[in-house]
Every structure is written in structure tokens, then in C-alpha cells.
Amino acid sequence: MSCCKIDPNARPDRYKSFVGIDCEGNARRVMALIDQHTVDLQDDKFWKYFHGRRRATSGPACDDLLLLASFVNPIRELFETRQDHEALALLEQLEDECF
């Protein structure tokens, strides 16, 4: 195998390459799930802050991946409380592959 050839059967190693890992797409999917689960939490201070950071027009703005990595524990708690096992699995995949 040459030094520059990528083995399509190899599991991507996030520390060497993000080739084949859809971090941005998975981050968007997790954000969509957060949006669904927090629609009734408009007055919750944390989720108000979280959504405000995502839509920030002044000061530091976070892209989805950074925001998710920064607040993974409250996000996990949200999905656990809502008993959304698919969302938890996707969040875990994102942690394993992209954080």
C-alpha cells in the first residue's frame, strides 16, 4: 500500500483523519433533535443560553460541533430525560468520532 492510498475498509481514526466521517452532518442531526426536544423549554435558562449561542450575531459564535462538544453532558441529560435512545446513540457516535 502506498503512503497516500486510503483503505476504504479501514475504520476512520479521528486522530489521523476525518476522511469518511460526517461530523458536520451528524452535528446538524443532533441539533435538529435538540430543537425538537426543547421546543417546550423556551423559559429554561440553560436552553435559552444554548440557543442564543447558536444564533449569536455579536460576541463569540459557536458552530454546531463546538457547541455540542462544549455542552455534551446537558444534551445527554436532555435525551435521557426524553428517553430518546436514537438521539443518545447519535450523540455517542458524534463524541466517539468528532469530539
Side-chain angles (χ1 to χ4, degrees):
M1 184 178 279
S2 76
C3 69
C4 300
K5 225 175 185 187
I6 297 174
D7 179 358
N9 298 317
R11 180 175 158 91
D13 182 344
R14 67 179 181 204
Y15 297 108
K16 294 181 183 175
S17 171
F18 285 94
V19 173
I21 301 174
D22 187 13
C23 293
E24 296 298 323
N26 287 337
R28 280 191 302 276
R29 286 186 270 290
V30 170
M31 285 303 233
L33 291 166
I34 291 169
D35 289 344
Q36 289 174 14
H37 286 298
T38 60
V39 76
D40 63 334
L41 300 174
Q42 303 278 332
D43 295 328
D44 182 280
K45 288 181 183 182
F46 171 77
W47 291 110
K48 206 180 257 192
Y49 173 79
F50 180 90
H51 290 294
R53 290 297 352 122
R54 187 173 185 210
R55 294 184 301 270
T57 56
S58 64
C62 299
D63 65 26
D64 287 349
L65 197 56
L66 176 60
L67 195 59
L68 293 171
S70 298
F71 296 107
V72 70
N73 290 328
I75 295 165
R76 181 179 293 109
E77 183 179 334
L78 172 71
F79 292 158
E80 286 172 350
T81 300
R82 302 297 172 124
Q83 297 181 354
D84 189 335
H85 302 289
E86 291 179 31
L88 282 166
L90 184 56
L91 180 62
E92 186 173 321
Q93 177 185 346
L94 196 62
E95 280 186 277
D96 289 344
E97 294 178 349
C98 303
F99 293 175

